[in-house]
Structure formats: structure tokens, C-alpha cells
Amino acid sequence: MILSFDIILLVFLVVAAIISLSVKDLLSASMIFGIYSFLICLLWADMGAVDVAFTEAAVGAGVSALFLIATVYNTKRSSSD
Amino acid sequence: MIAKIYATIAVFITGSLLIYGVSDFPRFGDARSPANAGVEGGAGSISEYYITKSYADTKVPNIVTSVLADYRSYDTMFETVVIFVAGMSIFAILRTFRSGAPLVENFRKDDSFIDGDHQRIIVGTTCRLAVPVVQLFALYVIAHGHHSPGGGFQGGVLLGASYIILALADDLAAALRRLSEARYLMLAAVGIAIYSGLGFLCMLLGQNFLDYGVLEAVFRTDGPEMARSHSMLGVEIGVAATVMAIMFAIYANLASKGTLKKAL
Amino acid sequence: MSDQLPIIVLIAPLFGALLVGLWGMRDHRACYPLVFTALLTSVTAAVAILFRVVNHGAIDYFVGGWEKPLGLGIQLRIDALNAPVLLIITVVALLVSFFSIRRTGEEQAEKTPHFYILFLLLCTGLCGITITADAFNLFVLVEVSSLSSYGLVAMGSNKRGTMAAFHYLLMGTVGASFYLIGVGYLYLKTGSLNMQDFHDILRNNEAIRDSKAITIGFLFMLVGIWIKMAFFPLYGWLPNAYSYAPSSSSSLLAPLMTKVSVYVMLRVMISLFGLEWVFVDLGWSHLVVWLAVVAILAGSLLALGQRELKKMLCYLIVVEVGYMVGGAWLADPNLWGMTGTIYHILADALMTLALFLAAGNFARHLGAVELKDLDGVFRKMPLTSLGFIVAGLAIIGVPPTCGFFSKFYLIRGAIEGDHWEFVVALLVSSLVSAVLFFRIFEIAYFGVKPSDGHGHAHTHEDAYSPEPTQQGRVGDLTLLRREAPLTSLVPLLITGVLIVALGLANGPIVAFIRTFLETLPHGPAL
Amino acid sequence: MDNFFQESIAPHFNFWVYVVIMMIGLWAVIAKNNLIKKLIGLSIFQSAIILLYVSLGVKDGAAIPILPHHEEHADAAAPDAGQAAPAPDAVPVSESHRGADHADYAVDPATIVNPLPHVLMLTAIVVGVATLGVALALAQRIFAEFGSLEENELLIQLKAEPTDE
């Protein structure tokens, strides 16, 4: 549990969340959401929660980003806000 | 525009209430906080019991797996039921058996580089090489969940992901040839049947539901602890089967808009 | 095997769903027998549990055999509060399963096994919520039942149903997450997830009892449950979700989902925190009763303004939820308000079931969606209309039915707790529901007056595609006996009988509830 | 201002950030116009709750919740053969515990992270993905029927048609 590493990750996390919600193109929003999931997976690993980190990496970053991209692929890519 | 005003008001109220609560929290990382070391007046700290006695009870070094699959296995069973319900809901909502939902042209027309032939060769071969390795690692993750981070869910997702890689490399039909719709729906039900069947078996042998200690007669182990360890592995296998089937089912339905014909 | 009853109530629908998944997929005819046997087993087990609780008091069941220390494994606990609720859930599920046999054009036939899987897993989730005594397990089961209800709502061919399901999903997930935040705050201050253990810690520790985090945790749990319950300011999702869902889904969801959330609020107030803490230390009861009054009045007025039958019934649900929340928070000296609420959970489940079954029959066999489509329905579907009348009178609160007695106890509690605004709200909403139902009876009996609209009932071939009528259009007022088929009529009539029976048997039921409430320390006066 | 930072923000830094992330998610769920953006906001909202649970189980200098696997016949002298828990900077389990007889492997609870929140959060992550899957299926169906995923356009279409359909 390295406090400085933890604080850096948290700052990146907040930045990734804001960017993922504000970017107009849905495909890049999904990918930045994937980055968000990887950052939070790093955070869990740093906090000692290794099982949660593994699940977050596999389920959060891997599969949910994929579902988002599959849906954006089948609907519209640009969003109004 | 009104939605933004509502949102800011709601967020402001909720945020200030949450922060008002946070001011009362124990210090971050404090080993003697109530959650970590319990409070007098109650039944004693549960997490300290897990840390000190879970190895004696279940012979499983990974405390999270032992709590997940044995102490609170009722929770995990319903977690698997949540995934099964998600798969069934998606099937009920999206799956169409007619020629396909009204095909609204999506944006595939304007960037056609995805279907170039060279893409097929590079991605195809790398995926075909990666799939067996991913599956082998997934089986290791399930089996080795007792000693290292991992277990039913993570292994199941990796197995499902290996089929998804296959679908991305060739096309959905190739993956469906290996894991057809009837088979993955049946596999999902079989997974939960393994889990709750094991629990029901404990009931038949006289103990409460999901009380694995009594299964030492079935597994012929020399003590209830090893029986717990083996039945935890059995439960993890059940969870992995359901998660694998449903993750692939969700991908297949989402990518092909429920027609299971042409996909991503 | 008899002390395994709590788990049998839960395992029967779960195994039924798995069998439907394994066997029903291949042979759709096998679906309904499996569903019926599963639900019958859980009804008998629920009856057996009720008798055991009446005779021997509360049942404790430790899943996985982990008893000492408390909270190590997951504990199930059935006492006088949840035994009747468990029985009502299984009985309502069995009745709706009759109704769902003839699912006409609303859903494609290929999805029958999936409908029944979601149906059974919703029942598993609701039964699990009712019997669990572990705060986090309650969240997992809320998610099981919510996800299956999203699937059931969005399943029909009505495209508005999909939109309603999406908003229902968003609000339902935010509600469940608020509940999870509450559990997190409580776990953080006490280190325990078991309800009994948490209650003991709260009672023994003065410092924890009035700490800020516990109060905020309780507030967020409450708001989360209120969202799942569609309590007034947070009810936005309910009217669309239940009126655009296929009729077999809405007649399962409407009577159960909100009532089980009311039960969860009661369980959190009574077992987790204790009424002493909630009424005395916290002191929000006046504010919440005023919120309930606003809920009742607004719900009634909105119901008056509706043109669609099912939309009107949905706003009546919002009114009933206002009754129950208001009753629970009256904090009157000898807890008549709480008695009224617990009794009203049972009564309202049956009343809402009868109304939605009748509305479902009207929609299926007459294509009647709006109020003016019900002209002359007494002659066309006399038995269904009989069920609708009984349910309508129960909602208004006419004596023999259970609706009257629940209002009676609520008003008595309100008077003793001197919440006169609640008494006024109850009477006003009874008047409004009287206006609502007699307006319908008038249309249904005398038919639409030729002056307003030429009595043309535009049938909805695409939405509900009722069977082709034998002669001519439905519009002409010739005597046309087109009663609903037996399978969708029998549950309605049984529910009507149960409504009256519950009303007549209110003495022993209330006595049983009172013995449970007596044991609770809850306020300065008692 | 400085002691305010030391006294109330520094010790609860993780909890302040969890509130910030949760409010970003909640704001997006309500304010965003596009349905997919609402779902991304919902997922961020749920991951913030996971941050709350995991960070309440953290202990300073604690090892990961996997007990170093000792052989049945572990003699006290032999150092652990590489099986030591690979915690980033965890204090290696001190020798005194190695000496405990291997029947009940006495571990000081303060040196190992609280495992219970991890179990709960495995469930929460899986529930989050299940909800996301169902929501995306609904979004695709809405797009197929209404032709758009923007909240304002959908409301216009819903109001336009008579309610009989």
C-alpha cells in the first residue's frame, strides 16, 4: 500500500472518468472507459485486493468495454453530448 | 437543460451528505478500525476470525476464495444466478428469430478498412494462436483459485473471452459452430445445477444447505476440512461454466443485434 | 427434513428454473408443468413455515452450518413479520402462473421458456429477500429480482415497454447502489453484516448509536429502498414500466415488487436499527409522515387524470405505497400504524393482483387499453368485471374486504399518534378512489354515452391482437358474450375470494402481528 | 487551511475521492443526454462504491489476504520457498509466526488485509457487468425501434404518437 502510488492513481482515475464522459465520440468514450477500468484494477492491486483486481481486469476492463464497443458498433457512433 | 439543473442539485445534496458521513470515518488504513478489528458488544470481529481460522476450517490458503465459496457461498450462488438472469433477460429482450430487427444502417459504410483482407490474416492467426493459451490459463485460474488470486468468475470470464476472441478473429458463425446457442444455454443451466446440486447434496446428507463438511463421505477425505476444500473446487467449476456460457451469450447477442447471424 | 423448510421455499423455484432451462428449452410444452410443481412446492413449504412460526416462534437457519460467531455465515430468519409476506409472494406467483398460460401475441412463442425462467427466478429473489437476515445478501437478492423484472418488463412487443424498462433499470440500479452505500457505512462503523449482530452492537455502544456515519447510512438505505418502492418523489419509473409491460409480467410485478420493498423497509427499521432508535433517537417520523401525505394526495390526483386503465392502476400503487410508508412511520404509542402497514402489505398485494389480472383480461380479449374502451364490458365479460368490482371496492375500503380493515388500523394508529394530516389524506384518497372506480363502473355498466365519442373501440390488432371476434366489430353494442378463457379467469376469481377472506379473517391475523410487535421496545409511551 | 488538510482530508483521502467519483457518475446518469453515456456514468457510479468498500478494509503495511502456503511438515528453520505472498511492500511474515506449530497457523490479523470487503466486491463487480449487459441490450432494442439514442429525440417521438400503439 504505497500512499504516493495510490494518490497518483486516484488522480488519474478522476481524470479518466471526466474525459470518458465528456468526449463526443462514443467509441473513444468506451475505450477511455476501458482505461478507467484498468486504472481502477491497478488501484485494487495496490490496495492489496488481488482477487478484486483480477476480476476487475477480466470483467471490468475486458468484457464490459467490449460490450460497449459492440453496442456502439451496432448503433450510432456520434453522441450529441 | 433542466436535466442538468436537476443533476447538479441532486449531486450537491448527495455529495454533501456523503462527505458529512465521511468526516466520521476511521483513519484510512487503520488496522484497529471497527471493520478490521471489530467492536466490543457484538459477536466479535468476523474478519479476524476469517484471517486466523479460515485455514484451519477449510485448508485453503486464499482466504478470499474460502470466504467466497464456503462461509458466504449462499451469496456466491445468487451471484451466479444474477449472471444467469442477465443472460436470460438479454435473450428475452434482444433475440429475434425473424429475418432480423429493422436494419438501421450503422456507420460501417464509411470506414471500410476493417474488412480489408490483410486484417483477416494478421488478426486471424494471432487469435488462433492466442485462444488455446487463454483457455489453458483460464483452467489454471479456476483450478488454482485456492492458492493464488483467481477462481470461478475470473476463469469463467477468460474462457468466455477465448470464444469471443474466436468470434472476433473469424466471424460469429465460427464461434457458434464450436459453442452453439443450444449448448451454451444448457451449459449455463448446468453450471448453476452443479452449484446448487452440491448444496442440495449436503441437505440430503442431513446438514444444512451448502454445509460441505458432511461431504467427507462422498469425497472420502480424512476430515471435513479437506471435504470443504474439494467441494469449493466443485463449486468454482460450476460458477466457471455458467459465467463462460453467459459471457459468450451476451457478446453473441449484443454483437449481432440478436440475430446471431452477421456480427462485429 | 422439516427444519430445512426455509431453504425449500427458495430452492424449489430455483431448481424449477434450472429444469425449465435444461428441459423446457427443448420441449416448450414441458415448461408449464415444471413451473406449476415448483411453485406448488414453495406454496406448501410457505404454509408449513407459517404454521411453525405461529406455533413455535421464529425459525433461525444458518446456511453452510456456520453458527458461532453470529455473522460468520449467512443466517436466514423467519419470524411473524416475514412468514405471512412469504406466503403471499408464493400464492400470488402461483395465481399469476395460471394467468400466464395463454400468453397470446404479446410475446413470441419461442421465448416461453425464457419467460418462465425469469418468472421463477423473480420468485426466488423475492422469497430470498423476505427470509434473509444478512444485509449484503439482501442486496444480491434485490439485484436478482430487479434484473429479472427488467427482462420481464422489456419482453413484450410494445416498443414503449423497452423505453420504460431502460428508465426502470437506471433508477432501480441507482436505488440498489444507494442501499449498498448504506450497508457500507454500517459495516464500516460496526464490522458486522448480520442484522441481529448489528442490532446488538448498536444497543450496546452509545458512541456508535449517535455517530454521523450510522445516521447517513440509514438515510441512504432508506432512500435506496424508497426508490425501489416508488415512494412519491422517486416514483418516475413505475407508471410506464408496469403499464407498457406485457400483461402477464405486469400482473406479477405490480403486486409483489413494491410490497416486498415495503417489507425490506420494515425489516431495516425493526430488526436492523430497532424502532427505539428510529422513532426516538432519529426523530424524522413527522417529516416522513408528511411526505407520505403528499404521496397519497399527489398519487390520487394523478390517478384521476389518467385515460389509460393500467396507468391509473399504477398511480393507485403509488398511493398504496404512501399508505404503507406513512403507517410505518406514525410512531404511535401502541404501534397500530405499524400493524396497519404489515396487514396492508398482504391486503394490497391481493388487491393489486386482482386489478392487474382484470386489466390484463380486458386488454387481451377486448383490446381495451383506455377507460372509454370498457363500454358495456359488464355484459361482455361479466365474471372478469365481477373480479374487478370486488378489487375496486377493496381499494375504496368497503367493509367486508381487506382494504377496509387496513385503512381502519392505519386511521386508528394515526389518531393515537395524533397525525391528523394522515387521517385526512386517507379519507380524501378513499373518496378519490371511489370516484375513480364508480366512473369506470358507470362506463362499464351503462356503456359510453353516445354523446361523447361514437363508442368506437379501436382495437389494437398489432399491440395485443385479441382473437378475431366471432361476429362484426367490437364497437356495435350487440350482446356479445366473450368471456376470458378459464385459465385467465380462475386466478382472478380466486383472488377476489381471497380478498374477502383476508378481510373477514383480519382478527386472528392482526392478533398474530400484534404479538410480534409487542415484543419490540419502540418508544417512550408503551 | 493546513491543519484542515492534515486533520480531515489526508487521513480520509481515499474516501473523499470515492465521493468525487460517485458524484461524477451520478451527475452523468441524470444529466447526460445520450443513453450510452448514461450507462458509462452508471458503471462509474458503481465502481465508486467498490472503491469505498475496498478502501475500508486496507491496513497499513498489510499483506494480501493469501496465507503463505506452508508445507504440512514445515520445519521452523526452512525459509518459505518463494511462496511468500508477493505483496508490493508487505512486511514479510515475521519469523515468530514461522515457529508456531503447523496445526493452527497463528497469524496476526493486523498484518493481513481484511478479506471480507473483497468478497463483497467480487459480487458487486459481477452484478455491475450483468446490469450493463442488460442495459446495452435495451439500448440496442431502443435504437432498432426508435432510430436514435438521444433522450430528447426519444421523448419527442414518444409524445408524437397517440398512446394507443
Side-chain angles (χ1 to χ4, degrees), chain D residues 67-130:
Chain D
L67 300 173
H69 183 55
H70 68 292
E71 290 68 32
E72 285 315 302
H73 45 73
D75 45 17
D80 218 13
Q83 265 294 325
D89 73 335
V91 166
V93 180
S94 56
E95 273 312 304
S96 65
H97 304 298
R98 183 68 58 234
D101 56 30
H102 30 64
D104 59 348
Y105 184 87
V107 173
D108 169 13
T111 63
I112 287 191
V113 170
N114 177 1
L116 190 54
H118 303 177
V119 175
L120 308 180
M121 282 315 103
L122 280 176
T123 310
I125 293 175
V126 166
V127 160
V129 172

Coordinates of all heavy atoms in Angstrom, one line a residue, chain D residues 67-130:
Chain D
L67 N -2.7 -16.6 2.7 CA -1.8 -17.0 3.7 C -0.6 -17.7 3.0 O -0.9 -18.5 2.1 CB -2.4 -18.0 4.6 CG -3.7 -17.5 5.4 CD1 -4.3 -18.6 6.1 CD2 -3.2 -16.4 6.3
P68 N 0.6 -17.4 3.3 CA 1.8 -18.1 2.7 C 1.6 -19.6 2.9 O 1.5 -20.0 4.1 CB 3.0 -17.5 3.4 CG 2.5 -16.3 4.1 CD 1.1 -16.4 4.3
H69 N 1.5 -20.3 1.8 CA 1.2 -21.7 1.9 C 2.4 -22.5 2.6 O 3.5 -22.4 2.1 CB 1.0 -22.3 0.6 CG 0.6 -23.8 0.6 ND1 -0.5 -24.2 1.4 CD2 1.1 -24.9 0.1 CE1 -0.6 -25.5 1.2 NE2 0.4 -25.9 0.5
H70 N 2.2 -23.1 3.8 CA 3.3 -23.8 4.4 C 3.1 -25.3 4.2 O 2.0 -25.8 4.2 CB 3.4 -23.5 5.9 CG 2.2 -24.0 6.6 ND1 0.9 -23.5 6.4 CD2 2.1 -25.0 7.5 CE1 0.1 -24.2 7.2 NE2 0.8 -25.1 7.8
E71 N 4.2 -26.0 3.9 CA 4.0 -27.5 3.7 C 3.5 -28.1 5.0 O 3.8 -27.6 6.1 CB 5.4 -28.1 3.4 CG 5.9 -27.7 2.0 CD 6.2 -26.2 1.9 OE1 6.7 -25.7 3.0 OE2 6.0 -25.6 0.9
E72 N 2.9 -29.3 4.9 CA 2.4 -29.9 6.1 C 3.5 -30.1 7.1 O 3.4 -29.8 8.3 CB 1.8 -31.3 5.7 CG 0.4 -31.2 5.0 CD -0.5 -30.1 5.8 OE1 -0.8 -30.3 6.9 OE2 -0.8 -29.1 5.1
H73 N 4.7 -30.5 6.6 CA 5.8 -30.8 7.6 C 6.7 -29.7 7.7 O 7.9 -29.8 7.7 CB 6.5 -32.1 7.1 CG 6.8 -32.0 5.6 ND1 7.8 -31.2 5.1 CD2 6.2 -32.6 4.6 CE1 7.8 -31.3 3.8 NE2 6.8 -32.1 3.4
A74 N 6.2 -28.4 7.6 CA 7.0 -27.2 7.6 C 7.9 -27.2 8.9 O 7.3 -27.1 10.0 CB 6.2 -26.0 7.5
D75 N 9.2 -27.3 8.8 CA 10.1 -27.2 10.0 C 10.3 -25.7 10.1 O 10.4 -24.9 9.2 CB 11.4 -28.0 9.9 CG 12.0 -27.7 8.5 OD1 11.6 -26.7 7.9 OD2 12.8 -28.6 8.0
A76 N 10.5 -25.2 11.3 CA 10.6 -23.8 11.6 C 11.7 -23.2 10.8 O 11.6 -22.1 10.3 CB 10.7 -23.6 13.1
A77 N 12.9 -23.9 10.7 CA 14.1 -23.2 10.2 C 13.9 -22.8 8.7 O 14.2 -21.7 8.3 CB 15.3 -24.1 10.4
A78 N 13.3 -23.8 7.9 CA 13.4 -23.6 6.4 C 12.6 -22.3 6.1 O 11.5 -22.2 6.4 CB 12.8 -24.7 5.7
P79 N 13.4 -21.4 5.4 CA 12.6 -20.1 4.9 C 11.5 -20.6 3.9 O 11.7 -21.6 3.3 CB 13.7 -19.3 4.3 CG 14.7 -20.2 3.8 CD 14.7 -21.3 4.8
D80 N 10.6 -19.8 3.8 CA 9.5 -20.1 2.9 C 10.0 -20.2 1.4 O 10.6 -19.2 0.9 CB 8.4 -19.1 3.0 CG 7.0 -19.7 2.9 OD1 7.0 -21.0 3.0 OD2 6.0 -19.1 2.7
A81 N 9.8 -21.3 0.7 CA 10.4 -21.5 -0.6 C 9.7 -20.6 -1.6 O 8.8 -21.1 -2.4 CB 10.3 -22.9 -1.0
G82 N 10.0 -19.3 -1.6 CA 9.4 -18.5 -2.7 C 7.9 -18.4 -2.7 O 7.3 -17.8 -3.6
Q83 N 7.3 -19.0 -1.7 CA 5.9 -19.0 -1.7 C 5.4 -17.7 -1.0 O 4.2 -17.5 -0.8 CB 5.3 -20.2 -1.0 CG 5.0 -21.3 -2.0 CD 3.8 -20.9 -3.0 OE1 2.9 -20.2 -2.5 NE2 3.9 -21.3 -4.2
A84 N 6.4 -16.9 -0.5 CA 5.9 -15.8 0.3 C 5.0 -14.9 -0.5 O 5.1 -14.8 -1.7 CB 7.1 -14.9 0.7
A85 N 4.0 -14.4 0.2 CA 3.0 -13.6 -0.5 C 3.7 -12.4 -1.3 O 4.4 -11.7 -0.7 CB 2.0 -13.0 0.5
P86 N 3.4 -12.3 -2.6 CA 4.2 -11.3 -3.4 C 3.5 -9.9 -3.1 O 3.1 -9.3 -4.1 CB 3.9 -11.8 -4.8 CG 2.6 -12.5 -4.8 CD 2.5 -13.1 -3.4
A87 N 3.4 -9.5 -1.8 CA 2.8 -8.2 -1.6 C 3.7 -7.1 -2.1 O 5.0 -7.3 -1.9 CB 2.4 -8.0 -0.2
P88 N 3.2 -6.0 -2.6 CA 4.2 -5.0 -3.1 C 5.2 -4.6 -2.0 O 6.4 -4.9 -2.3 CB 3.3 -3.8 -3.3 CG 1.9 -4.2 -3.2 CD 1.8 -5.6 -2.6
D89 N 4.8 -4.1 -0.9 CA 6.0 -3.9 0.1 C 5.6 -4.5 1.4 O 5.9 -3.9 2.4 CB 6.2 -2.3 0.2 CG 5.1 -1.7 1.0 OD1 4.0 -2.4 1.0 OD2 5.3 -0.7 1.6
A90 N 4.9 -5.6 1.4 CA 4.4 -6.1 2.7 C 5.5 -6.5 3.6 O 6.6 -7.0 3.1 CB 3.5 -7.3 2.4
V91 N 5.3 -6.3 4.9 CA 6.3 -6.7 5.8 C 6.3 -8.3 5.8 O 5.2 -8.9 5.9 CB 5.9 -6.3 7.3 CG1 6.7 -7.0 8.3 CG2 6.0 -4.7 7.3
P92 N 7.4 -8.9 5.4 CA 7.4 -10.4 5.4 C 6.9 -10.9 6.7 O 7.2 -10.4 7.8 CB 8.8 -10.8 5.1 CG 9.6 -9.7 5.4 CD 8.8 -8.4 5.2
V93 N 6.1 -12.0 6.7 CA 5.5 -12.5 7.9 C 6.7 -12.9 8.9 O 7.6 -13.6 8.5 CB 4.7 -13.8 7.7 CG1 4.1 -14.3 9.0 CG2 3.6 -13.5 6.7
S94 N 6.7 -12.2 10.0 CA 8.0 -12.3 10.8 C 8.2 -13.7 11.3 O 7.3 -14.5 11.3 CB 7.8 -11.4 12.1 OG 6.6 -11.9 12.7
E95 N 9.5 -14.0 11.6 CA 9.9 -15.3 11.9 C 9.1 -15.9 13.1 O 8.8 -17.1 13.1 CB 11.4 -15.4 12.3 CG 12.3 -15.5 11.0 CD 11.8 -16.6 10.1 OE1 11.7 -17.8 10.6 OE2 11.4 -16.3 9.0
S96 N 8.6 -15.1 14.0 CA 8.0 -15.6 15.2 C 6.8 -16.5 14.7 O 6.5 -17.5 15.3 CB 7.5 -14.5 16.1 OG 6.4 -13.8 15.3
H97 N 6.1 -16.1 13.6 CA 4.9 -16.9 13.3 C 5.4 -18.3 12.7 O 4.7 -19.3 12.7 CB 4.1 -16.2 12.3 CG 3.7 -14.8 12.8 ND1 2.9 -14.7 14.0 CD2 4.0 -13.6 12.4 CE1 2.8 -13.4 14.2 NE2 3.5 -12.7 13.3
R98 N 6.6 -18.2 12.0 CA 7.0 -19.5 11.4 C 7.1 -20.6 12.5 O 6.8 -21.7 12.2 CB 8.4 -19.2 10.8 CG 9.0 -20.4 10.0 CD 8.2 -20.7 8.7 NE 8.2 -19.6 7.8 CZ 7.0 -19.1 7.3 NH1 5.9 -19.6 7.7 NH2 7.0 -18.1 6.5
G99 N 7.5 -20.1 13.7 CA 7.7 -21.2 14.7 C 6.4 -21.8 15.2 O 6.4 -22.9 15.7
A100 N 5.2 -21.1 14.9 CA 4.0 -21.7 15.5 C 3.8 -23.1 15.0 O 4.2 -23.4 13.8 CB 2.8 -20.8 15.1
D101 N 3.3 -24.0 15.8 CA 3.1 -25.4 15.2 C 2.1 -25.3 14.1 O 1.3 -24.5 14.0 CB 2.7 -26.3 16.4 CG 1.4 -25.8 17.0 OD1 0.6 -25.2 16.2 OD2 1.1 -26.0 18.1
H102 N 2.3 -26.2 13.2 CA 1.6 -26.0 11.9 C 0.2 -26.5 12.0 O -0.5 -26.5 11.0 CB 2.4 -26.7 10.8 CG 3.1 -28.0 11.2 ND1 2.4 -29.1 11.7 CD2 4.4 -28.2 11.3 CE1 3.3 -30.0 12.1 NE2 4.5 -29.5 11.9
A103 N -0.3 -26.9 13.1 CA -1.7 -27.3 13.1 C -2.5 -26.0 13.0 O -3.0 -25.7 11.9 CB -2.0 -28.0 14.5
D104 N -2.5 -25.1 14.0 CA -3.3 -23.9 13.8 C -2.3 -22.8 13.5 O -1.5 -22.3 14.4 CB -4.2 -23.6 15.0 CG -3.3 -23.4 16.3 OD1 -2.1 -23.8 16.1 OD2 -3.7 -22.9 17.3
Y105 N -2.3 -22.3 12.3 CA -1.3 -21.4 11.8 C -1.6 -20.0 12.3 O -2.4 -19.3 11.7 CB -1.3 -21.5 10.3 CG -0.3 -20.7 9.6 CD1 1.0 -21.3 9.3 CD2 -0.5 -19.4 9.2 CE1 1.9 -20.5 8.7 CE2 0.4 -18.7 8.5 CZ 1.6 -19.3 8.3 OH 2.6 -18.5 7.6
A106 N -1.1 -19.7 13.5 CA -1.5 -18.4 14.1 C -0.9 -17.3 13.3 O 0.3 -17.2 13.0 CB -0.9 -18.3 15.5
V107 N -1.8 -16.4 12.8 CA -1.4 -15.2 12.0 C -1.9 -14.0 12.8 O -3.0 -14.0 13.3 CB -2.0 -15.3 10.6 CG1 -1.8 -14.0 9.9 CG2 -1.6 -16.6 9.9
D108 N -1.0 -13.0 12.8 CA -1.5 -11.7 13.4 C -2.5 -11.0 12.5 O -2.0 -10.6 11.4 CB -0.3 -10.9 13.8 CG -0.7 -9.5 14.2 OD1 -2.0 -9.3 14.5 OD2 0.1 -8.6 14.3
P109 N -3.7 -10.9 12.8 CA -4.7 -10.3 11.9 C -4.3 -8.9 11.4 O -4.7 -8.5 10.3 CB -6.0 -10.2 12.7 CG -5.8 -11.1 13.8 CD -4.4 -11.2 14.1
A110 N -3.5 -8.2 12.2 CA -3.2 -6.8 11.7 C -2.2 -6.8 10.5 O -2.1 -5.8 9.8 CB -2.5 -6.0 12.9
T111 N -1.6 -8.0 10.2 CA -0.6 -8.0 9.1 C -1.3 -8.4 7.8 O -0.6 -8.5 6.8 CB 0.5 -8.9 9.4 OG1 -0.1 -10.2 9.5 CG2 1.2 -8.6 10.7
I112 N -2.6 -8.7 7.8 CA -3.2 -9.2 6.6 C -4.4 -8.3 6.3 O -5.2 -8.0 7.2 CB -3.6 -10.7 6.7 CG1 -2.3 -11.5 6.6 CG2 -4.5 -11.1 5.6 CD1 -2.5 -13.0 6.4
V113 N -4.6 -8.0 5.1 CA -5.8 -7.1 4.7 C -7.1 -7.8 5.0 O -7.2 -9.0 5.0 CB -5.6 -6.8 3.2 CG1 -6.9 -6.0 2.7 CG2 -4.4 -6.0 2.9
N114 N -8.1 -7.0 5.4 CA -9.4 -7.5 5.7 C -10.0 -8.1 4.5 O -10.3 -7.4 3.5 CB -10.2 -6.3 6.2 CG -11.7 -6.8 6.6 OD1 -12.0 -7.9 6.4 ND2 -12.5 -5.8 7.0
P115 N -10.3 -9.5 4.4 CA -10.7 -10.1 3.2 C -12.2 -9.9 2.9 O -12.7 -10.1 1.8 CB -10.4 -11.6 3.5 CG -10.5 -11.8 4.9 CD -10.0 -10.5 5.5
L116 N -13.0 -9.6 4.0 CA -14.5 -9.6 3.7 C -14.9 -8.6 2.7 O -15.7 -8.9 1.8 CB -15.2 -9.3 5.1 CG -16.7 -9.5 5.1 CD1 -17.0 -10.9 4.5 CD2 -17.3 -9.3 6.4
P117 N -14.4 -7.3 2.7 CA -14.9 -6.4 1.6 C -14.5 -6.9 0.2 O -15.3 -6.7 -0.7 CB -14.1 -5.1 1.9 CG -13.7 -5.2 3.3 CD -13.6 -6.6 3.7
H118 N -13.4 -7.7 0.1 CA -13.0 -8.2 -1.2 C -14.1 -9.2 -1.7 O -14.5 -9.1 -2.9 CB -11.7 -8.9 -1.2 CG -10.6 -8.0 -0.6 ND1 -9.3 -8.5 -0.4 CD2 -10.6 -6.7 -0.3 CE1 -8.6 -7.5 0.0 NE2 -9.4 -6.4 0.2
V119 N -14.6 -10.0 -0.8 CA -15.6 -11.0 -1.2 C -16.9 -10.2 -1.7 O -17.4 -10.5 -2.8 CB -16.0 -11.9 0.0 CG1 -17.1 -12.9 -0.4 CG2 -14.7 -12.7 0.4
L120 N -17.3 -9.2 -0.9 CA -18.5 -8.5 -1.2 C -18.3 -7.8 -2.6 O -19.2 -7.7 -3.4 CB -18.8 -7.5 -0.1 CG -18.9 -8.0 1.3 CD1 -19.2 -6.9 2.3 CD2 -19.9 -9.2 1.4
M121 N -17.1 -7.3 -2.8 CA -16.9 -6.5 -4.1 C -16.8 -7.4 -5.3 O -17.1 -6.9 -6.4 CB -15.7 -5.6 -3.9 CG -16.1 -4.4 -3.1 SD -17.7 -3.7 -3.6 CE -18.9 -4.3 -2.3
L122 N -16.4 -8.7 -5.1 CA -16.5 -9.5 -6.3 C -17.9 -9.6 -6.8 O -18.2 -9.5 -8.0 CB -16.0 -10.9 -5.9 CG -14.5 -11.1 -5.8 CD1 -14.1 -12.5 -5.3 CD2 -13.8 -10.9 -7.1
T123 N -18.8 -9.7 -5.8 CA -20.2 -9.8 -6.2 C -20.7 -8.5 -6.9 O -21.3 -8.5 -7.9 CB -21.1 -10.0 -4.9 OG1 -20.5 -11.1 -4.2 CG2 -22.5 -10.3 -5.3
A124 N -20.2 -7.3 -6.3 CA -20.7 -6.1 -6.8 C -20.2 -5.8 -8.3 O -20.9 -5.4 -9.1 CB -20.2 -4.9 -6.0
I125 N -18.9 -6.3 -8.5 CA -18.4 -6.1 -9.9 C -19.2 -6.9 -10.9 O -19.7 -6.5 -11.9 CB -16.9 -6.5 -10.0 CG1 -16.1 -5.5 -9.2 CG2 -16.4 -6.6 -11.4 CD1 -14.6 -6.0 -9.1
V126 N -19.5 -8.2 -10.5 CA -20.2 -9.1 -11.4 C -21.7 -8.6 -11.6 O -22.1 -8.5 -12.7 CB -20.2 -10.5 -10.8 CG1 -21.2 -11.4 -11.5 CG2 -18.8 -11.1 -10.9
V127 N -22.3 -8.1 -10.6 CA -23.6 -7.5 -10.7 C -23.6 -6.3 -11.6 O -24.4 -6.1 -12.5 CB -24.2 -7.1 -9.3 CG1 -25.3 -6.1 -9.4 CG2 -24.7 -8.4 -8.6
G128 N -22.5 -5.5 -11.5 CA -22.4 -4.3 -12.4 C -22.3 -4.7 -13.8 O -23.0 -4.1 -14.7
V129 N -21.6 -5.7 -14.1 CA -21.4 -6.1 -15.5 C -22.8 -6.7 -16.0 O -23.2 -6.4 -17.1 CB -20.3 -7.1 -15.7 CG1 -20.3 -7.7 -17.1 CG2 -19.0 -6.5 -15.4
A130 N -23.4 -7.5 -15.2 CA -24.7 -8.1 -15.6 C -25.7 -6.9 -15.9 O -26.4 -7.0 -17.0 CB -25.3 -9.0 -14.5

